Amino acid sequence: MTEVLVIGAGITGSACAWRLAEAGFSVTVVHEAPIGGEATGAGMGHLTVHEGEAGVWELALAGRSLWERWAEELEPDIEYHRIGTLWLIPDEQAFILARRLQERFRDCGFRTELLDPVELGRREPHLRPYWLGALYVPDDATVYAPRAAWRLLERARARRARLIRARVVALEPDGVRLAGGVCLKADYTVIAAGVQAVELLPDLPVRPRRGHLLVSERRPGLVRHALVSMSYSATVESRQQASWAFNVHPRPNGQLLIGSCREWDVWDRRPDPKWGAQLLQEACRYIPELATTNVLRSWTGLRAASRDGRPLIGPHPQEPCWIVATAQEGLGITMAPAVAELVWAYISAKEPPLDPSPYRLEGRLCPNPSQSASTAAL
Amino acid sequence: MRYEVLVIGAGPAGLSAAVASAREGCRVGLLDAAPRLGGAIGPPTRRSGRYGKLWSEVARLRARGLLEIWPTAAVVFASADSLCFGVHRPGRLDLFEAERVVLATGARERFWPVPGWTLPGVFGVGGLQALCKEGWPISGIPVVLAGSGPLLWFVASDLSRRGARLELVLEQHSPLRWMSMLLQAGTWLRIRQALRLWKGLAPARLRWNSWPVEIQGDGQVEALRWVDARGRSGRIACRYVGLGYGLVPNTEVAELMELACSPDGFVSVDADMQTSRRGVYAAGELTGIGGMPKALLEGLIAGRKAAGAPVPIPWRMRNSLEKRFASRLAPLLAPRRELREHIRAEEIICRCEDVSWSALMPCEDGPTAKLQTRCGMGPCQGRVCGPILQMLRGWKLSTPRPPLFPLPAGLWSQWKGV
Ligand SMILES: Cc1cc2nc3c(=O)[nH]c(=O)nc-3n(C[C@H](O)[C@H](O)[C@H](O)COP(=O)(O)OP(=O)(O)OC[C@H]3O[C@@H](n4cnc5c(N)ncnc54)[C@H](O)[C@@H]3O)c2cc1C
Ligand SMILES: Cc1cc2nc3c(=O)[nH]c(=O)nc-3n(C[C@H](O)[C@H](O)[C@H](O)COP(=O)(O)OP(=O)(O)OC[C@H]3O[C@@H](n4cnc5c(N)ncnc54)[C@H](O)[C@@H]3O)c2cc1C
């Protein structure tokens, strides 16, 4: 039987483990920290699609569609809620973008609706009447990602996947070496280690992109959908050191998650209250009632981002039995089921459900590892 | 706001530190989250005595402009890189800066999930006493107290003095156990105090070696069932229950500042009360639970050191005795083994997020518990369930994150930092 090692039990590793165990592979997951404890636990869990570099749209689209099926399998406790996204339109230019986006969604069979300011005000009564309108995507959902990762792993273990709590310190041609010196053998090794993949493969063009998030006390009804400014995609593509956009959605218990910002190449996980202030300035401007709402907590997470903005999914050119799955940037939760499909296709040599070429590693590695994110900063 | 010495926490330790620094001529700021000074003990009942005199000193130094006091001022942001703090007062969020800092954030009560502990009418013993001090009607009301140690005995005698119908006081250890601890590490004063409290309580049915097994009631406390070490048991009707199984230090500010802590969770200090960071001192319950005498003395040492003044040798010697007392006291205050073994599966451990003991079972560590069950993610940020899980499973839920107390979004949005 083909032996597969999966490094990392975030949403990506857990999804791969389940998919591969279902397909009958002998799977061993190796992870050190708590399940879903890194980016997966820090993220917003918004299952959505937006425009980006080549292939980003397609991967997110595939992931989002698969989530609808996965959610049924993994419910009830992953808190999958179809709250819908309102892409808020700040200006004329964004209006044109929203139109284009709507057409693109329509071509993919998504339901959408272009709301005028009056209709927007009806759906979100506490939103300040500032926007020219919104593009409504009713089937977008939110999910509680760390629990989803846990459930996926449980499912994988029910299919005889093994779980080993250890830190991988090196990749070998035929497996991995753990801290302490033990080696595990496998036919394939899936590197789903998030941003920490660069520790194992310094030639990966992966850099951390730190984000801050805040959570408020319960304010049921204050916000009803996932509210995201149309300027959000621009922050994702931004080359500037720091960028941010209005992004707020309710958790099922009525708490609000408030984001989101990006900083290139910051490894420090300690939250900086100044970022909280920045995000809240924006959020209070658009939801005035938020000003009197208590914020309970702030935290950070590190998105794994590639230099060219495309995820890195596929065999490593040097060792084809190392299958890399990282650099989903801010859409790794959404993309996870689709990433698992691609990984499964590589390992079983089957036809993938979508074109894998945008994500392949060939020609994208850093010849000189010191050019990639400085591992010294770890 | 900028001070030479900033004292955080205005309980006995903080007051004592602030006075010691201000007396040396430093410009001192003293702030506390609570609306009134005095921390867990509150204002003094008489003007004489060391604590009463301390308050007169506070007033005097304040009048001379050497000491500035900020009540209702909670530290919500702190950092490992600078001595700058975000301080929340009603309607404001201000930056406080300092050259030296004394942390005196004290301790809070450890709650224990005795079956039925979430019923209205169940309090911490300290909380119950504070309510009565503020004028809550207690006279003639049947009360049961359960827990361990001096705070339990003190509150029991105080409540009965206020006219409460003290049905039962369940002390988890035997008088022998307490006496041998006091003889080994106590002072004569403490022994005399203990004997006086016990004597005063005897008629009020002080039961040794006993602990509660269930608090019963339908929407409100109605009765309590108890057992003792010899297997005797009983049930007694009551309206209020006060539980007192020790205190846990408020280390949140210290943790944001990344100060070193001992394995049992107290802030580590040297003989000068200096923490792992130069210019940052800690005093009082934060460094070990030892009551007023320890808090006052440590505050004095920390305050003088922060002001650059020397500390007399006899103080240090006395301080090491206080430390020894604190370290012997801690294990006796924690809930005994039997109490830790009988947690009901359906018992709610995290009251903010409604997480039951059974939901926590499959988790293997604190961060997992937090992520998977949302335990400790509510408004109190794990201040109640964190110490319970620490004791039950040896978990640390997580390090604190800003803000340390819930903070209105509108105020935070104006924060500029340094
Ligand atoms: C602030 C923020 C908001 C976000 N919002 C969203 C959103 O709304 N929607 C969305 O789809 N995505 C969002 N994301 C992105 C998403 O969270 C990530 O893309 C996704 O979680 C990545 O999952 P992962 O499993 O690849 O990586 P991770 O979750 O980082 O998991 C990697 C795991 O591998 C383990 N590991 C690493 N190295 C080793 C080793 N050597 N040995 C053993 N174990 C190892 C780590 O401990 C970790 O648990 C957000 C991210 C952030 C930071
Ligand atoms: C009911 C009761 C009776 C007692 N009786 C006796 C007795 O008879 N004899 C005896 O020796 N001892 C007694 N004690 C114990 C005594 O009160 C404590 O030992 C003493 O108060 C400890 O002083 P402290 O300054 O270390 O901490 P505390 O008194 O706990 O003060 C700490 C202060 O820090 C503040 N604080 C915490 N975090 C923050 C923050 N982030 N920002 C701003 N402020 C903050 C709190 O609001 C608090 O006011 C009693 C305690 C109680 C509760």
Side-chain angles (χ1 to χ4, degrees):
Chain A
M1 193 154 51
T2 309
E3 295 275 348
V4 184
L5 280 171
V6 177
I7 306 174
I11 195 74
T12 308
S14 305
C16 291
W18 184 40
R19 184 66 185 87
L20 293 167
E22 289 259 281
F25 292 99
S26 164
V27 177
T28 304
V29 180
V30 189
H31 84 118
E32 191 191 24
I35 292 164
E38 285 291 333
T40 299
M44 286 183 106
H46 186 200
L47 305 179
T48 189
V49 182
H50 58 77
E51 299 199 290
E53 297 297 334
V56 169
W57 171 278
E58 288 77 10
L59 196 57
L61 201 68
R64 212 206 71 164
S65 311
L66 283 168
W67 263 111
E68 298 190 1
R69 233 183 44 225
W70 282 35
E72 271 169 41
E73 290 256 354
L74 302 174
E75 274 300 1
D77 51 350
I78 63 164
E79 298 181 4
Y80 177 88
H81 286 273
R82 225 177 267 197
I83 62 172
T85 305
L86 286 168
W87 289 97
L88 302 170
I89 304 170
D91 50 32
E92 289 295 337
Q93 208 188 338
F95 200 87
I96 299 166
L97 271 174
R99 270 274 159 72
R100 207 179 70 202
L101 194 60
Q102 185 179 30
E103 258 160 47
R104 208 165 167 194
F105 274 130
R106 193 181 296 142
D107 294 343
C108 302
F110 271 41
R111 293 196 294 158
T112 58
E113 211 179 315
L114 208 51
L115 308 183
D116 62 24
V118 177
E119 189 53 28
L120 176 59
R122 228 175 45 77
R123 312 247 175 132
E124 285 290 350
H126 300 283
L127 193 65
R128 214 182 107 211
Y130 160 91
W131 309 91
L132 298 186
L135 178 63
Y136 180 38
V137 185
D139 295 323
D140 276 358
T142 54
V143 70
Y144 187 52
R147 204 171 295 153
W150 175 281
R151 299 286 279 145
L152 285 164
L153 217 55
E154 253 180 16
R155 291 305 184 83
R157 292 170 84 177
R159 293 273 179 166
R160 285 200 290 282
R162 287 195 308 152
L163 185 63
I164 293 180
R165 282 223 158 206
R167 178 147 202 93
V168 174
V169 290
L171 300 176
E172 309 274 352
D174 57 349
V176 301
R177 196 165 72 240
L178 305 181
V182 176
C183 287
L184 301 175
K185 301 255 176 261
D187 301 301
Y188 290 94
T189 300
V190 179
I191 298 115
V195 70
Q196 291 167 58
V198 288
E199 288 176 46
L200 301 171
L201 291 169
D203 59 354
L204 285 183
V206 172
R207 300 154 65 186
R209 222 175 168 193
R210 183 172 79 162
H212 275 75
L213 281 182
L214 308 160
V215 67
S216 78
E217 64 186 336
R218 301 180 187 200
R219 285 297 302 271
L222 188 59
V223 172
R224 298 166 183 185
H225 307 81
L227 303 178
V228 195
S229 166
M230 281 292 296
S231 66
Y232 177 82
S233 347
T235 70
V236 177
E237 286 169 46
S238 170
R239 300 275 130 204
Q240 298 202 320
Q241 207 278 327
S243 53
W244 62 91
F246 175 63
N247 184 350
V248 172
H249 76 235
R251 288 185 25 77
N253 66 4
Q255 289 181 310
L256 299 181
L257 279 176
I258 302 161
S260 63
C261 60
R262 293 176 149 74
E263 289 167 281
W264 282 108
D265 301 321
V266 181
W267 287 99
D268 190 345
R269 288 168 169 81
R270 297 171 303 179
D272 178 351
K274 271 187 280 192
W275 268 114
Q278 181 64 60
L279 296 178
L280 289 170
Q281 235 172 55
E282 204 93 332
C284 293
R285 167 141 33 113
Y286 301 131
I287 311 167
E289 270 190 57
L290 196 63
T292 53
T293 301
N294 280 325
V295 176
L296 300 184
R297 188 180 168 82
S298 64
W299 67 89
T300 69
L302 305 184
R303 304 174 182 94
S306 65
R307 295 173 164 260
D308 56 18
R310 280 179 281 143
L312 289 155
I313 302 156
H316 193 279
Q318 194 190 324
E319 255 342 310
C321 63
W322 296 342
I323 315 284
V324 172
T326 184
Q328 302 92 328
E329 219 273 349
L331 281 173
I333 310 296
T334 310
M335 290 171 172
V339 172
E341 289 297 322
L342 288 177
V343 167
W344 161 82
Y346 279 117
I347 291 178
S348 53
K350 294 268 170 55
E351 189 63 30
L354 76 160
D355 176 13
S357 56
Y359 323 111
R360 294 187 66 98
L361 277 59
E362 282 80 2
R364 299 170 68 199
L365 300 182
C366 306
N368 175 2
S370 66
Q371 278 180 10
S372 77
S374 143
T375 32
L378 293 171
Chain B
M1 259 57 71
R2 226 197 138 83
Y3 296 101
E4 279 172 86
V5 177
L6 180 66
V7 181
I8 300 174
L15 287 167
S16 168
V19 163
S21 285
R23 261 196 205 136
E24 297 300 315
C26 283
R27 220 176 97 70
V28 180
L30 171 63
L31 55 82
D32 199 296
R36 63 150 178 64
L37 306 182
I41 196 102
T45 43
R46 47 199 177 96
R47 282 167 159 262
S48 57
R50 271 181 58 202
Y51 189 51
K53 288 195 189 125
L54 180 63
W55 275 63
S56 328
E57 269 298 276
V58 168
R60 193 179 65 82
L61 291 162
R62 194 179 185 182
R64 282 184 49 200
L66 285 168
L67 176 56
E68 242 167 39
I69 297 181
W70 304 92
T72 336
V75 171
V76 287
F77 304 146
S79 117
D81 316 315
S82 67
L83 294 185
C84 297
F85 301 87
V87 176
H88 176 212
R89 287 182 290 143
R92 303 190 60 105
L93 177 63
D94 294 305
L95 175 69
F96 277 60
E97 292 171 280
E99 282 159 42
R100 268 102 52 209
V101 169
V102 179
L103 289 180
T105 47
R108 59 180 181 271
E109 295 191 86
R110 177 194 283 121
F111 289 90
W112 197 250
V114 173
W117 73 300
T118 53
L119 279 172
V122 181
F123 303 89
V125 280
L128 186 57
Q129 199 234 15
L131 279 176
C132 297
K133 263 191 185 170
E134 266 148 41
W136 242 47
I138 189 82
S139 177
I141 293 177
V143 177
V144 173
L145 301 181
S148 196
L151 184 59
L152 174 75
W153 317 327
F154 174 80
V155 174
S157 88
D158 188 64
L159 290 188
S160 73
R161 201 170 46 79
R162 290 172 193 271
R165 224 170 76 213
L166 211 53
E167 299 286 353
L168 208 54
V169 178
L170 301 166
E171 159 59 57
Q172 67 174 349
H173 297 300
S174 66
L176 210 67
R177 181 102 194 259
W178 275 110
M179 208 26 101
S180 74
M181 179 273 185
L182 287 171
L183 284 171
Q184 278 174 46
T187 56
W188 280 112
L189 195 71
R190 286 211 168 91
I191 294 171
R192 227 181 53 209
Q193 234 173 22
L195 288 173
R196 212 185 48 228
L197 287 172
W198 296 352
K199 198 165 140 233
L201 281 175
R205 299 204 279 184
L206 171 61
R207 281 204 70 96
W208 300 97
N209 256 329
S210 319
W211 56 93
V213 286
E214 189 185 2
I215 302 166
Q216 301 172 325
D218 186 7
Q220 157 75 30
V221 172
E222 286 163 14
L224 179 141
R225 286 199 308 117
W226 57 270
V227 295
D228 70 12
R230 289 162 64 185
R232 284 175 299 204
S233 63
R235 180 180 183 276
I236 185 130
C238 55
R239 276 269 299 286
Y240 295 149
V241 171
L243 299 175
Y245 290 97
L247 304 170
V248 284
N250 296 317
T251 49
E252 292 75 21
V253 179
E255 285 182 77
L256 273 191
M257 296 176 76
E258 298 179 7
L259 304 180
C261 289
S262 64
D264 48 353
F266 295 98
V267 173
S268 306
V269 284
D270 63 17
D272 291 335
M273 306 315 293
Q274 185 163 248
T275 64
S276 56
R277 188 145 140 216
R278 264 187 68 123
V280 178
Y281 301 82
E285 309 284 49
L286 190 59
T287 71
I289 306 301
M292 276 271 265
K294 173 174 173 293
L296 291 173
L297 180 62
E298 289 191 352
L300 204 55
I301 297 174
R304 278 185 72 85
K305 275 288 163 190
V311 172
I313 300 286
W315 291 10
R316 293 200 182 177
M317 285 166 61
R318 233 190 72 214
N319 192 29
S320 70
L321 288 180
E322 293 293 350
K323 281 229 163 65
R324 203 175 66 178
F325 173 74
S327 65
R328 299 268 167 110
L329 181 63
L332 290 190
L333 295 184
R336 58 187 281 161
R337 195 169 43 81
E338 289 87 342
L339 273 163
R340 294 184 227 170
E341 278 168 359
H342 296 118
I343 309 293
R344 289 194 301 202
E346 71 273 22
E347 206 59 54
I348 296 294
I349 303 293
C350 172
R351 300 176 70 163
C352 298
E353 295 288 318
D354 272 347
V355 182
S356 68
W357 181 228
S358 60
L360 290 160
M361 295 283 196
C363 302
E364 57 233 321
D365 52 31
T368 303
K370 218 182 99 202
L371 269 178
Q372 297 301 331
T373 68
R374 307 193 60 79
C375 189
M377 298 263 227
C380 93
Q381 288 289 300
R383 280 181 175 81
V384 174
C385 63
I388 295 175
L389 290 170
Q390 165 79 43
M391 190 119 274
L392 284 175
R393 309 274 307 249
W395 289 349
K396 174 146 177 60
L397 275 186
S398 65
T399 47
R401 294 276 178 246
L404 294 178
F405 294 102
L407 183 63
L411 282 184
W412 190 345
S413 73
Q414 326 260 304
W415 175 251
K416 302 265 174 346
V418 244

